[in-house]
Amino acid sequence: MKKQQSFSAFTLVELLVVIAIIGILIGLLLPAVQAAREAARRMQCSNHLKQFGLALHNYHSVHHHFPGYDDSGVGFSIQAKLMPYFEQRSLHNLIDFSQPVLIGPSGAKYFNLVHEEVAQKQIPIFRCPSDAEQDLYTEYQEGQNPSPVALRGLNYMMIIGSGKDQTFDFANKTDALFYFNSRCGFHSILDGSSNTIVMTESLLGNHQDTTSESNRTRQVCRSSAIARAASNVNNPTFADFDNYLNSAVNWSGYRGCCWLLARPGYTMVITYLPPNTHYPDFAPSSGGGRQIGLHFSRSNHSGGVNGLLGDGSVRFFSDSIQQSHFQALATIGGGEAISF
């Protein structure tokens, strides 16, 4: 008699159990992989800010002061002035600093095409790897140009003030290291360079101008409750912020849209509210309004933002930091006792 051979195989139930176990394992592993990737992106972001810190210190060594803003609203950003000090001298040489970034009559400024080539350059150190938003903008600063001008954005913003007592208006002397015609040095930082934040992150705008809110983390609320002049904004309360929201005229996605231009929201923020506040950025609704505004630090990092201190170190600032502490970190001579 022939011996009958038997073959073992998975039953349907066993196969489904194996598939379920594999699915569970993938579900458990995926968050860990994503967390590891984000940790690497956050570390790379921190390294970008450290390079900015070295550039600021090298600039100070050469000029004996930190860079300041030479024109209010139409001049060059601090980030552009630092380019030779983080190995971007060739791009820096393309900038004609004798020509303003914006030209045209007051209230109708438009982008100076002399700077179009360099303004389109993407500079890796200017971008946080956790922000996947497209950084090429054609929506803003078109003005009287015959065709839209493509501009590159950035994530790393200069701190121009705590925002208290109208120190968000960099056209005047603020309580921070950078403002119009500032020539501050280490001797100016009376609070100590390790207690003064000079740069932080912000998310790029979403390129969209809308009549109603669609993404407050990437749009600026243009409010009729804020006039172009800074005089009607003074130490706003949460009730004031709610009023700004209720008075929204439109929402604009211009934040961080041009690394070359010295304007709040483009290359500057304040520390009036803690990082990643649930309030949007605010700006006036009428013409010329982008020259002032309440623009805050934001990131896609979980729980906070990276920030550069005056001594060149980088710290992670939690969303839960006290509002008064975050404000105090921007000041160079406030004399506040800060623990963080």
Side-chain angles (χ1 to χ4, degrees):
M1 295 179 62
K2 288 186 179 179
K3 197 173 200 178
Q4 188 175 8
Q5 291 180 330
S6 62
F7 300 93
S8 62
F10 282 114
T11 66
L12 180 59
V13 173
E14 290 172 331
L15 184 62
L16 291 175
V17 170
V18 170
I19 292 173
I21 292 172
I22 292 174
I24 292 171
L25 292 175
I26 292 174
L28 292 173
L29 183 62
L30 191 59
V33 172
Q34 291 175 335
R37 288 177 175 174
E38 169 53 25
R41 289 192 291 263
R42 180 171 146 184
M43 180 64 68
Q44 185 179 354
C45 171
S46 175
N47 288 336
H48 287 173
L49 281 170
K50 287 179 181 177
Q51 290 184 62
F52 272 110
L54 289 172
L56 281 167
H57 283 226
N58 289 335
Y59 185 102
H60 189 283
S61 296
V62 173
H63 299 279
H64 308 295
H65 61 77
F66 294 111
Y69 297 108
D70 301 316
D71 286 293
S72 175
V74 298
F76 296 92
S77 68
I78 300 295
Q79 292 88 332
K81 295 179 180 181
L82 291 175
M83 289 172 67
Y85 303 95
F86 49 76
E87 300 180 351
Q88 293 292 339
R89 182 171 292 278
S90 59
L91 282 181
H92 182 265
N93 291 339
L94 293 177
I95 304 174
D96 185 353
F97 284 93
S98 67
Q99 298 283 338
V101 183
L102 303 182
I103 55 178
S106 178
K109 298 287 186 183
Y110 57 97
F111 195 81
N112 188 344
L113 293 180
V114 169
H115 304 298
E116 183 176 12
E117 178 185 1
V118 70
Q120 294 176 358
K121 301 294 185 182
Q122 186 179 53
I123 304 174
I125 189 180
F126 285 173
R127 291 301 315 278
C128 172
S130 291
D131 187 355
E133 182 64 58
Q134 171 59 249
D135 66 353
L136 186 64
Y137 290 81
T138 59
E139 299 86 358
Y140 306 107
Q141 296 303 339
E142 298 174 13
Q144 300 175 17
N145 292 322
S147 61
V149 178
L151 306 172
R152 288 284 182 182
L154 86 168
N155 291 106
Y156 302 111
M157 306 286 185
M158 311 309 300
I159 302 293
I160 56 168
S162 67
K164 296 173 61 177
D165 304 322
Q166 302 174 356
T167 53
F168 59 88
D169 183 4
F170 80 112
N172 301 302
K173 187 179 184 299
T174 70
D175 53 6
L177 202 60
F178 307 105
Y179 49 86
F180 181 51
N181 280 336
S182 65
R183 293 296 183 270
C184 298
F186 281 111
H187 63 278
S188 308
I189 310 177
L190 304 181
D191 289 343
S193 59
S194 61
N195 294 319
T196 302
I197 186 171
V198 296
M199 290 187 76
T200 188
E201 301 179 73
S202 186
L203 291 173
L204 288 173
N206 65 354
H207 304 253
Q208 298 176 15
D209 285 358
T210 56
T211 56
S212 59
E213 176 185 350
S214 63
N215 187 341
R216 68 169 53 185
T217 63
R218 293 193 181 272
Q219 286 184 301
V220 179
C221 177
R222 307 294 298 277
S223 174
S224 61
I226 304 176
R228 180 180 177 182
S231 57
N232 78 321
V233 180
N234 190 35
N235 298 327
T237 63
F238 294 132
D240 292 324
F241 287 130
D242 291 334
N243 182 40
Y244 299 157
L245 273 174
N246 294 332
S247 304
V249 173
N250 55 53
W251 295 73
S252 184
Y254 67 77
R255 191 194 301 117
C257 70
C258 181
W259 61 259
L260 190 65
L261 180 58
R263 274 196 172 178
Y266 286 28
T267 54
M268 317 172 195
V269 293
I270 59 175
T271 62
Y272 193 77
L273 292 180
N276 296 312
T277 173
H278 70 280
Y279 284 109
D281 293 4
F282 293 101
S285 59
S286 57
R290 291 187 181 123
Q291 293 186 29
I292 67 167
L294 304 169
H295 302 279
F296 311 115
S297 59
R298 305 179 190 276
S299 83
N300 274 342
H301 307 309
S302 177
V305 300
N306 283 317
L308 172 69
L309 297 172
D311 62 357
S313 64
V314 175
R315 292 186 64 107
F316 191 73
F317 294 96
S318 170
D319 297 345
S320 60
I321 187 173
Q322 290 186 30
Q323 181 180 1
S324 59
H325 285 187
F326 203 50
Q327 292 172 356
L329 282 166
T331 66
I332 60 176
E336 308 96 337
I338 307 171
S339 58
F340 60 94

